[in-house]
Amino acid sequence: MTVSDIEVGLGSIGKIKIIRALAQEGKMATIYFLHKKTGLKREDIKNNLSDLVKIGWVKQAKYASVMYGIGENEQVTRLVQFFHDVGYISGHNQQ
């Protein structure tokens, strides 16, 4: 991971909200779900997801519709754990 990955990954409150929503959900989710959970505009979600997928913090899979979930790399796992530790993410769905 590079410094620029961190800056891209944490570059907006929207990206942080998306990571939070996906971590709390604990499974793959649609853009519709992320829109309802975060209150962000669909276009903003798509742009943020594009960045997060590029750096590997979010994974993408195509089923009947495109689904997104927390990436499986050490950096995002540590970030999600930090969010849990500080109380930003609650619940039992830890990565």
Side-chain angles (χ1 to χ4, degrees):
M1 179 169 70
T2 67
V3 171
S4 65
D5 286 350
I6 294 169
E7 291 167 350
V8 168
L10 298 177
S12 73
I13 190 66
K15 290 175 185 169
I16 293 170
K17 285 182 176 185
I18 289 169
I19 292 168
R20 179 184 189 208
L22 291 173
Q24 284 182 320
E25 182 64 7
K27 60 184 179 183
M28 301 296 277
T30 62
I31 289 176
Y32 176 80
F33 169 84
L34 293 170
H35 168 69
K36 291 295 183 188
K37 189 81 171 177
T38 65
L40 298 170
K41 296 177 187 174
R42 289 176 180 264
E43 195 60 35
D44 292 340
I45 292 170
K46 289 177 184 179
N47 291 335
N48 286 327
L49 282 170
S50 176
D51 289 342
L52 292 168
V53 168
K54 282 179 191 171
I55 63 170
W57 287 20
V58 169
K59 58 187 173 185
Q60 176 181 328
K62 294 180 182 178
Y63 301 108
S65 58
V66 179
M67 306 287 283
Y68 298 90
I70 292 294
E72 298 174 1
N73 68 47
E74 184 179 349
Q75 294 79 27
V76 76
T77 300
R78 286 182 178 189
L79 179 63
V80 169
Q81 184 60 52
F82 169 75
F83 284 167
H84 277 281
D85 292 347
V86 299
Y88 185 64
I89 295 175
S90 59
H92 303 292
N93 296 329
Q94 266 185 295
Q95 293 291 322

